[in-house]
Amino acid sequence: MGAFSITHWLVIAVIVVLLFGTKKLRGLGSDLGASIKGFKKAMNEDDASKAHKETETTGSDADFSAKSINGTKPEVKAEETKSQNKEQV
């Protein structure tokens, strides 16, 4: 009916084992399993971090106190102003 029967799949499996060997197939299977496990772990961590961010309270971004800049003057040394004046001339 167009689909392979169980005997076809067994013949294909035997040919694959003969071509690649059991050590390579075992290593390939373990590598594939480790990569799937790592992918699932990363997806779970991503979901957990999204859930953590959504549950945090949204407050102010930083704790700054307001200061007035009108009353303060920057400290400028006399030597620096002299050197700046010389450079401008």
Side-chain angles (χ1 to χ4, degrees):
M1 295 188 63
F4 292 110
S5 67
I6 189 73
T7 56
H8 290 108
W9 288 114
L10 288 175
V11 170
I12 291 172
V14 168
I15 292 172
V16 168
V17 168
L18 289 174
L19 285 175
F20 296 108
T22 56
K23 287 184 182 180
K24 278 194 176 185
L25 290 176
R26 189 177 311 131
L28 180 67
S30 65
D31 290 343
L32 182 65
S35 64
I36 291 172
K37 186 184 291 185
F39 179 75
K40 285 182 180 179
K41 182 180 177 184
M43 292 299 292
N44 287 337
E45 288 176 356
D46 187 38
D47 290 342
S49 66
K50 281 184 182 178
H52 180 66
K53 286 181 182 178
E54 290 174 358
T55 58
E56 288 180 349
T57 58
T58 55
S60 62
D61 288 338
D63 296 329
F64 291 113
S65 60
K67 294 181 181 178
S68 174
I69 59 170
N70 294 334
T72 60
K73 292 184 178 180
E75 296 179 15
V76 179
K77 296 181 181 176
E79 294 175 11
E80 289 179 9
T81 55
K82 288 179 184 177
S83 66
Q84 288 176 356
N85 290 336
K86 289 180 183 178
E87 290 175 4
Q88 291 179 358
V89 175

